[in-house]
Amino acid sequence: MAKSYKEIMNTIDTFIFDVDGVLTDSSVHVSQNGEMLRIMSIRDGFAMKAAIESGYNVCIISGGNNEGVRIRLRNLGITDIHLASPNKVETFKEYTELYNIKPENILYMGDDIPDYHVMQLVGLPTCPQDAVSEIKAISKYISHKNGGKGAVREVIEQVMKVQGKWHLYYNGKHD
């Protein structure tokens, strides 16, 4: 019998997120000088920081490359940031081998075709509500929120609640 996504959430110790379409709404605002600007949710940032401070691994794997995104993620305490990744599966394998992380203990959130193959390798493939149909078809959990609009916060909060860590965090009793 297949495990429910809530049962799988109980074993998660690592979160991996794509950027565009997951941490952003997949829009790119282009300035007059050609700089591409993205908008990220403060609530998603809060949840990623809470996860890190509660002992979870948080990793970013993205095909995009934007220094502003890197700075934002570093300011949240994320150290494993892989931007301009030409092969997400290869980056994923290098990351999991480096830290000896079991793929079945990973929640990966992606939204589009470049995430497809890596999502097939993890215990809990997830996506935002507005992900493409191919990604929705392989996701064990589809957020009720769109990318850049709280989908990351939703899955982190759910995992932490299932594991009894969310209330510890917001009550100030985290490590």
Side-chain angles (χ1 to χ4, degrees):
M1 185 173 182
K3 288 184 178 182
S4 71
Y5 76 88
K6 289 277 189 182
E7 289 174 304
I8 298 169
M9 284 182 172
N10 203 38
T11 67
I12 297 301
D13 63 18
T14 301
F15 296 99
I16 301 178
F17 300 106
D18 178 31
V19 174
D20 293 321
V22 172
L23 289 170
T24 75
D25 67 1
S26 71
S27 297
V28 177
H29 302 274
V30 182
S31 70
Q32 286 184 329
N33 66 0
E35 184 180 8
M36 292 187 276
L37 306 172
R38 290 157 175 87
I39 297 173
M40 295 182 160
S41 167
I42 293 294
R43 291 181 182 149
D44 287 347
F46 172 82
M48 287 187 292
K49 189 174 175 125
I52 291 165
E53 291 177 359
S54 298
Y56 294 92
N57 304 304
V58 176
C59 175
I60 306 299
I61 301 176
S62 177
N65 189 16
N66 181 287
E67 194 56 30
V69 168
R70 185 183 309 279
I71 292 167
R72 165 77 176 134
L73 297 170
R74 278 190 185 143
N75 287 341
L76 294 173
I78 300 170
T79 56
D80 293 294
I81 304 167
H82 304 276
L83 303 182
S85 176
N87 183 331
K88 290 186 176 190
V89 169
E90 185 178 306
T91 303
F92 170 82
K93 287 181 178 179
E94 289 171 2
Y95 172 73
T96 56
E97 288 172 13
L98 178 65
Y99 294 106
N100 196 28
I101 298 170
K102 295 178 182 174
E104 61 267 24
N105 296 338
I106 297 173
L107 178 151
Y108 184 102
M109 181 174 272
D111 73 305
D112 208 342
I113 300 303
D115 301 305
Y116 187 89
H117 294 294
V118 71
M119 288 177 70
Q120 293 181 309
L121 301 175
V122 302
L124 188 54
T126 66
C127 68
Q129 178 62 43
D130 58 346
V132 300
S133 60
E134 294 89 347
I135 297 301
K136 286 182 170 183
I138 63 167
S139 292
K140 292 183 181 174
Y141 179 77
I142 299 172
S143 173
H144 301 296
K145 308 274 185 175
N146 287 342
K149 305 292 183 187
V152 168
R153 164 73 178 255
E154 181 189 7
V155 294
I156 290 174
E157 188 174 328
Q158 279 199 55
V159 168
M160 290 180 71
K161 283 180 176 178
V162 165
Q163 295 182 13
K165 294 181 179 179
W166 185 254
H167 75 282
L168 296 176
Y169 187 81
Y170 73 76
N171 283 328
K173 297 177 185 172
H174 61 283
D175 294 332

